[in-house]
Amino acid sequence: MDNKAKVYLGAAVLMLLVFGIGMLGPAKMQPVLWMSYTGFLALASLLLVVAIPIVAKATRHPLAMKALVLQRQLGICVFLFALVHVLITMQFGLGWNIAFLLDPQATFLLVGAIAFLILFAMAATSNDFSVKTLGKNWKRLQMLVYVAILLLLAHFINAGLVFAKNPIVVGVVLLFCVAGAYFRFKPKAKPPVSAKQEPMEPSKETIKQ
Ligand code: HEM
């Protein structure tokens, strides 16, 4: 089995595990647990996948370099986790009533839906054909992932019934995002001033003049 197939198999096993763990709770709580677990799995995997190039560049660790090669497949798995979360939430939480998304009392749902559309656009254009056709716009589209993360943090903190109620989990997620943003957007170090100056020893040409 090649590495790409292993990524999808791993994602399927992880999803089954999440459902299995949800089933360990009281029967009445299972839908809430499934909604929470699938939502958190989607958010956590998104943050990890976005961090891959940052970690690979900083550490050159073999595992990070391997993950970098598989980033496209890993990104599609993130979208599939988000899709399962949305389907479970629609089924058990919202009863397929789309009107809930426009409820002014629950703007976190609309925020989650916008983030989901961004993830969908990114997954749909995760192929060589789109990279070629969209040109520079492909890179711009990929940058929307940072908007999606901001929206999802708001969604997580406002919607969450399990993980979001744990201040340690929320703290770790926020710290991870702040550290990631710092390393991703920190200004590049300027070359040392001395490198731009004339060499200390005059060159032969300078002496001739
Ligand atoms: C149409 C789009 C979406 C809808 C309607 C929706 C709905 C919900 C609802 C009702 C909850 C509360 C349920 C609970 O915590 O048990 C929730 C929680 C959550 N959702 Fe979403 N969601 C959407 C998209 C997303 C996406 C795209 C992600 C991540 C990629 C996500 C991540 C989360 C997380 C992390 C939680 C909190 C889990 C917890 O702390 O318990 N959601 N969502």
Side-chain angles (χ1 to χ4, degrees):
M1 189 191 293
D2 70 349
N3 285 343
K4 290 177 187 173
K6 278 185 194 160
V7 167
Y8 293 120
L9 184 68
V13 170
L14 208 59
M15 193 42 90
L16 285 177
L17 212 67
V18 159
F19 277 95
I21 296 171
M23 285 170 91
L24 296 177
K28 249 171 79 180
M29 279 293 289
Q30 276 173 14
V32 173
L33 295 180
W34 285 335
M35 284 191 280
S36 288
Y37 293 174
T38 53
F40 193 73
L41 176 66
L43 177 65
S45 57
L46 173 67
L47 297 180
L48 290 175
V49 169
V50 170
I52 292 171
I54 303 168
V55 176
K57 203 172 153 189
T59 65
R60 304 259 149 208
H61 192 280
L63 198 68
M65 301 310 281
K66 213 171 168 183
L68 194 60
V69 176
L70 295 167
Q71 205 187 8
R72 195 178 274 183
Q73 288 72 30
L74 291 166
I76 290 172
C77 291
V78 170
F79 170 72
L80 293 176
F81 291 153
L83 178 66
V84 173
H85 169 66
V86 171
L87 294 176
I88 293 279
T89 306
M90 281 293 175
Q91 174 68 21
F92 295 111
L94 309 180
W96 295 98
N97 185 353
I98 307 277
F100 275 123
L101 296 181
L102 300 174
D103 183 352
Q105 304 290 316
T107 39
F108 66 84
L109 292 180
L110 184 62
V111 163
I114 296 171
F116 181 67
L117 288 180
I118 295 177
L119 296 186
F120 170 71
M122 293 182 62
T125 55
S126 242
N127 51 65
D128 293 339
F129 175 76
S130 303
V131 176
K132 235 191 220 168
T133 320
L134 293 174
K136 271 187 185 167
N137 288 328
W138 187 84
K139 194 95 197 124
R140 288 189 189 123
L141 184 73
Q142 297 298 309
M143 292 298 280
L144 282 181
V145 74
Y146 301 110
V147 177
I149 289 177
L150 284 178
L151 295 175
L152 287 170
L153 288 178
H155 176 75
F156 164 51
I157 289 165
N158 284 292
L161 298 175
V162 178
F163 298 96
K165 295 285 175 266
N166 184 331
I168 297 176
V169 176
V170 176
V172 169
V173 169
L174 293 181
L175 204 69
F176 188 89
C177 291
V178 171
Y182 171 75
F183 286 110
R184 172 64 182 81
F185 296 109
K186 76 172 176 180
K188 284 192 184 108
K190 286 183 188 152
V193 182
S194 58
K196 284 185 183 170
Q197 285 174 346
E198 292 278 325
M200 294 294 276
E201 291 285 325
S203 62
K204 281 181 187 165
E205 283 75 17
T206 318
I207 294 168
K208 272 184 205 160
Q209 284 164 14

